[in-house]
Amino acid sequence: MDGNGRWARKRFLPRVAGHKRGVDMVKEIIKACDERKIGYLTLFAFSSENWRRPKDEVSLLMELFCFVLEHEIHLLHSRNVRLKIIGDLQPFDDKLRHLIRHAEALTQANTGLTVSIAVNYGGRWDILQAISHFMRAHPERSVADLTEQDLAPYLSLHYAPEPDLFIRTGGEQRISNFLLWQLAYTELYFTDTLWPEFNATALDDAIASFQKRERRYGRTSEQLASGS
Ligand code: FPP
């Protein structure tokens, strides 16, 4: 969700106004995904690198996360949304960690859209934590014979299928340490639209672009056409 700061700057507003407007778009996109019967939406809200931002901006973002978890969770719950938070939660304060636990517990049995929010998340961290959890659970195994299937249950998004579509707003054409493992076969979509302007119509444009792609998974177009 890139471009909040630029959206605010264009309007001579503080950066946090862009993040607040970003929350409005998060709500609109969750509603749009729900209406389109999309099963899983994963949002990158705070990367492990975002701690390098000015202290004031980091604390305002933390306050915003707390506010959303406290005040929007009932709306999500009423929409049958299952909320998950992924990332290294250790550095967060007790209040935020409590709100996360509460929001996940409240919505865990919901059967609609699964919304995962990545906070203090990094794709490399995810792979390393999965290896280390696997090795702790299976001390008899050696790293040398580790398989992809071994790691799958220990990755942060173990409960979700691999993503079909990755969308980055705000004009940069990078993955920036997001779901490195899970994006292996994902279609990538980059748009100049800033996150606070990425509405349901923009989502439909991204989906239309995805629908035109041919997903070959290493096969040829001819093999796909013949169904082999
Ligand atoms: C990147 O834009 C955005 C962030 C680092 C924060 C994203 C947070 C939100 C959308 C609000 C909170 C979300 C939830 C799910 C509670 P940027 O600040 O890097 O923008 P810029 O590149 O224009 O400076």
Side-chain angles (χ1 to χ4, degrees):
M1 296 184 286
D2 205 2
N4 294 349
R6 277 165 286 162
W7 181 90
R9 199 167 57 229
K10 279 206 297 194
R11 287 161 181 77
F12 305 102
L13 295 168
R15 292 178 60 82
V16 67
H19 295 316
K20 285 187 178 154
R21 173 73 191 189
V23 173
D24 294 339
M25 287 336 268
V26 167
K27 284 158 67 181
E28 173 162 344
I29 292 300
I30 290 176
K31 185 165 173 276
C33 287
D34 185 31
E35 286 165 358
R36 285 154 185 72
K37 303 276 178 279
I38 288 168
Y40 295 84
L41 171 70
T42 304
L43 299 162
F44 203 3
F46 194 84
S47 73
S48 356
E49 291 76 28
N50 284 150
W51 294 109
R52 298 178 196 149
R53 292 191 169 210
K55 244 182 159 175
D56 283 359
E57 184 173 343
V58 171
S59 29
L60 280 163
L61 274 169
M62 294 304 146
E63 277 173 34
L64 208 52
F65 294 149
C66 285
F67 184 87
V68 169
L69 287 169
E70 226 169 337
H71 295 92
E72 304 292 351
I73 191 62
H74 295 287
L75 180 66
L76 294 180
H77 188 40
S78 69
R79 282 188 158 269
N80 198 22
V81 166
R82 177 168 68 139
L83 186 73
K84 304 283 245 179
I85 310 291
I86 60 167
D88 180 4
L89 303 184
Q90 265 171 9
F92 295 121
D93 66 24
D94 288 347
K95 181 181 178 196
L96 186 50
R97 290 203 304 210
H98 168 77
L99 287 169
I100 289 172
R101 274 197 302 274
H102 173 258
E104 287 188 330
L106 180 71
T107 61
Q108 68 178 349
N110 289 348
T111 52
L113 172 68
T114 297
V115 175
S116 305
I117 301 181
V119 284
N120 195 27
Y121 176 88
R124 291 178 180 174
W125 164 84
D126 195 5
I127 295 166
L128 286 175
Q129 68 80 27
I131 296 172
S132 107
H133 280 109
F134 176 85
M135 292 314 294
R136 240 175 289 153
H138 302 276
E140 76 290 355
R141 293 282 305 276
S142 130
V143 190
D145 57 38
L146 211 56
T147 67
E148 293 182 15
Q149 287 68 32
D150 286 333
L151 280 199
Y154 296 91
L155 288 159
S156 297
L157 276 185
H158 59 89
Y159 51 84
E162 290 186 1
D164 289 313
L165 176 62
F166 163 101
I167 300 172
R168 182 174 185 150
T169 59
E172 311 289 352
Q173 303 204 352
R174 284 192 291 274
I175 290 172
S176 295
N177 201 15
F178 196 33
L179 306 167
L180 296 181
W181 181 282
Q182 296 84 348
L183 292 178
Y185 290 101
T186 300
E187 296 296 330
L188 306 181
Y189 179 84
F190 299 98
T191 170
D192 289 337
T193 304
L194 305 175
W195 176 255
E197 289 165 344
F198 191 83
N199 55 18
T201 311
L203 175 68
D204 284 335
D205 290 344
I207 295 171
S209 161
F210 168 79
Q211 285 168 335
K212 286 191 215 122
R213 315 269 180 104
E214 182 183 65
R215 307 186 80 193
R216 292 197 294 275
Y217 299 100
R219 294 190 175 82
T220 66
S221 296
E222 291 72 23
Q223 282 178 303
L224 289 183
S226 69
S228 59

